[in-house]
Amino acid sequence: MRPVICEISTYISSAVGVGFYGNSETNDGVYQLTYSIYNANHTLGGIGSMVGNSLGSMQVGLKEHLERLDEIFSPRGDYTQILRFMQQMADNIIQQLTAMPDTRKVQVDLAAIADRTSFIEYYRWLTYLLLLILDLVICLIACLGLAKQSRWLLTVIMVCGVLTLIMSWASLGAGTATAVGTSDFCVSPDKFIANQTKDSLSADIVHYYLYCSQSLPNPFQQSLTIFQRSLTTMQIQVQGLLQFAVAVFPTAEKDLLGIQRILNSSEFNLHQLTALMDCRSLHKDYLEALLGVCYDGVEGLLYLCLFSLLAACAFCVLLCAVPRAWTLIAIRERDYDDIDEEDPFNPSRRITPYNPARAQVHSFCSYSSSMGSQTSLHPPLQATNQSMLFERNPRYENVPLIGSGSPPPSQLKQQRDKLKQYQKKITLQLEKERRLAKRLLKDGKKERALLLLKKKRYQDQLLDKTDIQIANLECMVQDIEFAQIEIKVIEGLKAGNDCLKQMHEVMSIEEVERILEETQEAIEYQKVTIMEQFNPCLRNFIAMGKNYEKALSKPQAQKDE
């Protein structure tokens, strides 16, 4: 079950990679669409601004100047006739500008479309990004839950998997619908735009901007030509009035110069309007918008649909596999709740790889020691190949019995006690597993019962090895203690021998005999001298004793008398 869920996690990770690519491509396509719409909106805004400025200057500013000049030139009929002609030219310009389509409505529509598209795209991109991150997190939790065999992690996987499955199917439906609608638009986008703009723009104008062919005439060319000719005619008339009428009517110069400025400004607007109303700018924006939508956008939507489909199928399989993993974990916990972590049949136990170089353990009972034996101070030449202590990690190997690196007897006793505890533990566990095997046989689970029997045979072997190791450890303790006593005796003998050697080096035999002879002679001489000095003193001491006795006897005699 673990390999199946790992493979599902791998498929989900691959699907997430596809989703990241599709999300990025879709975002690029929508960004290119909105950028082109904003550029087209800016162009239409410039056209509307130029038309509005020209209309305002012709309807308000030029009309005021012509009315004042009509009052000034009232005495001259020819000058007033020129003013009426200029008014007629201004009316022609106003008529042509008014006949042009109102781009403000189209501008408002394009701005609303661009803003709404940007708003929707931002939240779409963010939603898919969160969904992709959630899928990756679920894959990580799935792997972690299988590694730890945790039930609550599997519960989290179930809840998040159901939520992500619903979101995947929903995103698949939304992405498929969007991709189909966008593909229908991309089949004939010109027809779609013509149908949408037939109420606000004529078919010739729409056709001109959609195709922008040199063979197609500019629908605004006639209006722009009339505008240009009317401005040129008015400028000629104003120039003539400035040349001839100002000398007769000096007060008319200010209004004539004001009309001239208005005409110059209108001519500048005309040039700008001619450039903006050319089809090349808007047609370029239109093609870039189509490229963004119909290539990057549709490609990204298709990858997102593929991601949603793969994720939905993978999560369906994952949700079907999680209950099975839950059941296996429950069975494992029920059957093996009394097995410790050091059990070699426990799947969660980490097995240390066997190292033959560390399997050589010397037998400490393969030889005997004797007092004063030099061979007892060294390990035997032939070492028996002992099995490792259960974890395949011998504590001491290839070390001499006596030395700085030898284990103290206390550590060996601790190891012996641990082995006895382990032996007792295995014995209790064998009894539990025997009862468990009987229950499994009654339930009809022969495979698991056979597994327990194999485990029992293995643990019986462990018990035999434990007995051998306990005996070896007891021999080790006895040999080490006796060897330590031998070391102390040998060290004392060695110190005495060293002292004797030093004394022999200092004094020779002849010197010792000479010293002994001189000592004997000195002793005899001392005896003779002492006796000679002691005899006169002894006589004097005897005489004094006698005199003292006489002195004591006289007072006693007088008392008697």
Side-chain angles (χ1 to χ4, degrees), residues 12 20 33 69 114 164 167 190 213 237 260 387 480 548:
I12 294 175
F20 272 112
L33 171 65
L69 288 174
T164 309
M167 296 177 64
D190 301 336
S213 176
Q237 297 297 329
Q260 191 175 22
S387 61
I480 290 175
Y548 182 72

Side-chain angles (χ1 to χ4, degrees), residues 307-318:
F307 153 72
S308 300
L309 181 60
L310 292 176
C313 296
F315 277 108
C316 287
V317 179
L318 180 64

Side-chain angles (χ1 to χ4, degrees), residues 10 17 35 55 69 90 107 142 191 218 242 260 304 311 328 353 357 394 436 444 448 476 492 495 510:
T10 304
Y35 181 77
L55 280 175
L69 288 174
Q107 182 183 358
K191 185 178 180 180
N218 191 345
L242 285 173
Q260 191 175 22
L304 288 177
L328 292 177
L436 180 60
R448 299 187 62 81
M476 290 179 195
E510 293 79 4

Side-chain angles (χ1 to χ4, degrees), residues 265-283:
S265 176
S266 299
E267 186 177 7
F268 176 77
N269 291 337
L270 175 63
H271 294 305
Q272 294 291 328
L273 188 62
T274 303
L276 291 175
M277 297 185 75
D278 189 75
C279 66
R280 288 175 292 181
S281 176
L282 291 175
H283 184 69

Side-chain angles (χ1 to χ4, degrees), residues 344 349-356 358 388 390-394:
R349 177 177 176 266
R350 180 180 178 183
I351 302 299
T352 306
Y354 174 71
N355 188 2
R358 296 179 59 87
M388 295 170 294
F390 310 111
E391 289 296 330
R392 295 182 178 179
N393 186 15

Side-chain angles (χ1 to χ4, degrees), residues 329-541:
I329 291 175
I331 294 174
R332 188 183 300 274
E333 291 180 356
R334 187 179 71 248
D335 293 344
Y336 296 100
D337 54 351
D338 57 347
I339 298 176
D340 60 356
E341 295 180 355
E342 296 181 355
D343 189 353
F345 284 84
N346 189 357
S348 63
R349 177 177 176 266
R350 180 180 178 183
I351 302 299
T352 306
Y354 174 71
N355 188 2
R358 296 179 59 87
Q360 302 295 330
V361 182
H362 291 293
S363 175
F364 290 90
C365 296
S366 60
Y367 64 97
S368 60
S369 301
S370 61
M371 180 66 70
S373 176
Q374 297 298 326
T375 59
S376 64
L377 301 178
H378 301 284
L381 296 177
Q382 294 180 353
T384 59
N385 186 11
Q386 301 290 340
S387 61
M388 295 170 294
L389 295 177
F390 310 111
E391 289 296 330
R392 295 182 178 179
N393 186 15
R395 189 173 182 84
Y396 304 103
E397 68 271 3
N398 298 330
V399 294
L401 179 63
I402 304 301
S404 60
S406 300
S410 60
Q411 293 183 0
L412 296 177
K413 292 178 181 179
Q414 291 176 1
Q415 294 295 328
R416 180 193 61 191
D417 295 337
K418 289 182 179 179
L419 286 173
K420 290 181 178 179
Q421 293 176 1
Y422 183 79
Q423 190 177 22
K424 182 178 179 181
K425 182 178 179 181
I426 291 179
T427 304
L428 295 175
Q429 187 174 348
L430 285 174
E431 183 63 24
K432 292 181 181 179
E433 291 179 353
R434 185 179 62 81
R435 294 193 298 268
L436 180 60
K438 291 181 178 180
R439 188 169 68 250
L440 290 174
L441 287 174
K442 291 180 181 180
D443 296 339
K445 299 179 180 179
K446 295 183 179 179
E447 294 182 357
R448 299 187 62 81
L450 291 175
L451 177 63
L452 289 177
L453 292 176
K454 291 180 181 179
K455 183 177 180 181
K456 181 178 180 301
R457 287 196 296 270
Y458 177 76
Q459 290 179 342
D460 290 336
Q461 295 176 3
L462 290 182
L463 288 176
D464 296 338
K465 294 179 180 178
T466 305
D467 293 333
I468 296 173
Q469 296 299 334
I470 290 173
N472 289 336
L473 288 175
E474 290 178 352
C475 292
M476 290 179 195
V477 173
Q478 295 175 3
D479 291 343
I480 290 175
E481 291 177 350
F482 189 76
Q484 289 177 350
I485 295 173
E486 287 182 340
I487 289 175
K488 292 180 181 179
V489 173
I490 292 171
E491 288 179 353
L493 294 175
K494 184 179 179 181
N497 290 330
D498 292 337
C499 292
L500 290 175
K501 288 180 181 180
Q502 292 178 2
M503 293 176 64
H504 291 164
E505 291 177 358
V506 172
M507 299 179 66
S508 62
I509 296 176
E510 293 79 4
E511 186 68 19
V512 172
E513 291 177 352
R514 185 182 63 79
I515 291 173
L516 291 175
E517 291 177 357
E518 292 179 356
T519 303
Q520 186 66 30
E521 291 176 358
I523 291 172
E524 293 177 355
Y525 176 77
Q526 189 68 26
K527 288 181 179 180
V528 173
T529 304
I530 290 173
M531 292 302 295
E532 291 177 355
Q533 294 178 355
F534 182 73
N535 289 331
C537 292
L538 182 61
R539 295 190 198 97
N540 293 331
F541 183 75

Side-chain angles (χ1 to χ4, degrees), residues 112-148:
I113 291 172
D115 294 338
R116 187 164 56 252
T117 304
S118 299
F119 178 79
I120 295 173
E121 171 58 21
Y122 173 75
Y123 284 101
R124 184 211 61 80
W125 173 83
L126 184 61
T127 302
Y128 269 100
L129 182 63
L130 295 177
L131 180 60
L132 294 169
I133 295 174
L134 180 61
D135 291 347
L136 290 177
V137 172
I138 291 175
C139 294
L140 180 61
I141 294 175
C143 296
L144 186 62
L146 289 176
K148 291 189 174 182

